[in-house]
Amino acid sequence: MPTVEFWYEFASTYSYLAAERVEGVARVMGVDVRWRPFLLGPIFAAQGWTSSPFNLYPAKGDNMWRDVERTAMRYHIAWARPSHLPRNGLLASRVALVGADDGWIANFSRAVFRANFVEDRDIGDVATIADIISRLGLPSSVLERANAPQNKSRLKAQTDAAIALGVYGAPSFTVDKELFWGHDRMEQAFQWATTPWM
Amino acid sequence: MPTVEFWYEFASTYSYLAAERVEGVARVMGVDVRWRPFLLGPIFAAQGWTSSPFNLYPAKGDNMWRDVERTAMRYHIAWARPSHLPRNGLLASRVALVGADDGWIANFSRAVFRANFVEDRDIGDVATIADIISRLGLPSSVLERANAPQNKSRLKAQTDAAIALGVYGAPSFTVDKELFWGHDRMEQAFQWATTPWM
């Protein structure tokens, strides 16, 4: 079955929207999806950005909040504007990589996104992540595995792999080397996986 | 009839795609469209950008070119990557304002966009604009009216009106004060004009 790589960042509002819809789109299109968390921080820092572009450019930020609100309504996705953006997705991303091995990455990632963008919780706080792990019925040893040196290196390597594919924002979708940027390109990416140029 | 304001910049690739499709979308949706050229240059300069973000951020630029190519193919829109971006849309915008009064703004604007994004001509060159005016069967006095002080002020005022609505990129669409950014939000803007939140 063809596969779309779904590149996401836990701090990203549009990554949340994509995470809520991606499995449904994949199912309808008959395409596999591979969840690939990465960090936007190093990518933004390399461009000289000290924060999210939505904070650096207020007009852009204002419209993003309104657009996400409109989009969530259109797709019936739960949404509450968080009191802080961007939140630190480092630990959550490390845990998600463990979940990629164990088969619970999608469930865990959606729970983290909802904590951030529905429940307004600080996903950068280890207590929040530990609570999500517990609520999913996972052992607390997951946190130790997440913080192991080789798992930390793995997240760095995954972010480097994203950069090598040309990723500069989140969410992004890749089909082999074909890159699609944005929640609004998700369906097109899945269509590309079966029928390019359509 | 409800109206969507279509804010565009002649240097903008996605504005070109929108200009090719906007009348068809408006017709199907039963909504009027008002063509409103403006200048991105002052908006970008105010953010500290010295060129198009597609030039300042190469990964973003690379993906834009590919995305526009894919999108043009999907919608069967003629497309040839121009040898230079951004081209100077100042004179074309001034002429377009004259066309807003005389009823040929849509035809003129599409001709300018095609000169830039299909024929790879320098739309910042007065000879190119004069040729387009001539090919449309318009009198050369149009250029004089375009360069009259009150018309120059009018373009400044139109750009200020865009900024006041929160516009920060092109194309944008507004329905009263509701702002939609991007060619990929065009249908949503027209839908909003008749049925908000759908």
Side-chain angles (χ1 to χ4, degrees), chain A residues 14 47 49 57 59-60 63-64 66-67 69-71 73-74 166-168 178-181 184-185 188 191-192 197-198, chain B residues 14 47 49 57 59-60 63-64 66-67 69-71 73-74 166-168 178-181 184-185 188 191-192 197-198:
Chain A
Y14 290 107
Q47 296 184 167
W49 292 349
Y57 306 110
K60 187 181 182 70
N63 188 246
M64 179 277 288
R66 183 62 168 172
D67 184 60
E69 184 184 12
R70 288 187 304 232
T71 307
M73 185 73 85
R74 281 163 76 88
V167 169
Y168 56 95
E178 192 75 22
L179 170 67
F180 299 83
W181 169 54
D184 43 28
R185 296 295 188 279
Q188 193 182 358
Q191 194 165 39
W192 191 276
W197 292 108
M198 288 293 285
Chain B
Y14 290 107
Q47 296 183 166
W49 292 349
Y57 305 110
K60 188 181 180 71
N63 188 247
M64 179 278 288
R66 183 63 168 171
D67 185 61
E69 184 184 12
R70 288 187 305 233
T71 307
M73 186 73 85
R74 280 163 76 86
V167 169
Y168 57 94
E178 193 75 21
L179 171 67
F180 299 83
W181 170 54
D184 45 28
R185 296 295 188 279
Q188 192 181 359
Q191 194 165 39
W192 190 277
W197 292 107
M198 289 294 284

Side-chain angles (χ1 to χ4, degrees), chain B residues 15 49 54 103 189 196:
Chain B
S15 291
W49 292 349
F54 299 125

Side-chain angles (χ1 to χ4, degrees), chain A residues 88-172:
Chain A
N88 189 334
L90 177 63
L91 176 60
S93 299
R94 288 174 176 164
V95 172
L97 282 185
V98 176
D101 292 338
D102 290 7
W104 42 261
I105 185 170
N107 276 342
F108 172 78
S109 296
R110 281 188 296 258
V112 172
F113 277 122
R114 288 172 193 171
N116 195 359
F117 295 115
V118 182
E119 301 156 16
D120 196 19
R121 297 167 73 190
D122 182 4
I123 60 166
D125 185 345
V126 63
T128 305
I129 300 303
D131 179 56
I132 290 170
I133 288 170
S134 166
R135 281 195 290 158
L136 291 173
L138 301 169
S140 56
S141 60
V142 161
L143 269 180
E144 289 152 46
R145 290 167 64 197
N147 284 319
Q150 67 269 34
N151 194 62
K152 292 182 179 180
S153 301
R154 192 175 163 195
L155 180 59
K156 282 200 195 84
Q158 183 135 301
T159 297
D160 288 342
I163 293 169
L165 283 162
V167 169
Y168 56 95
S172 290

Side-chain angles (χ1 to χ4, degrees), chain B residues 92-116:
Chain B
S93 299
R94 287 173 177 164
V95 172
L97 283 185
V98 175
D101 291 338
D102 290 7
W104 42 261
I105 185 171
N107 277 342
F108 172 79
S109 296
R110 281 188 296 260
V112 173
F113 277 122
R114 289 172 192 169
N116 195 0

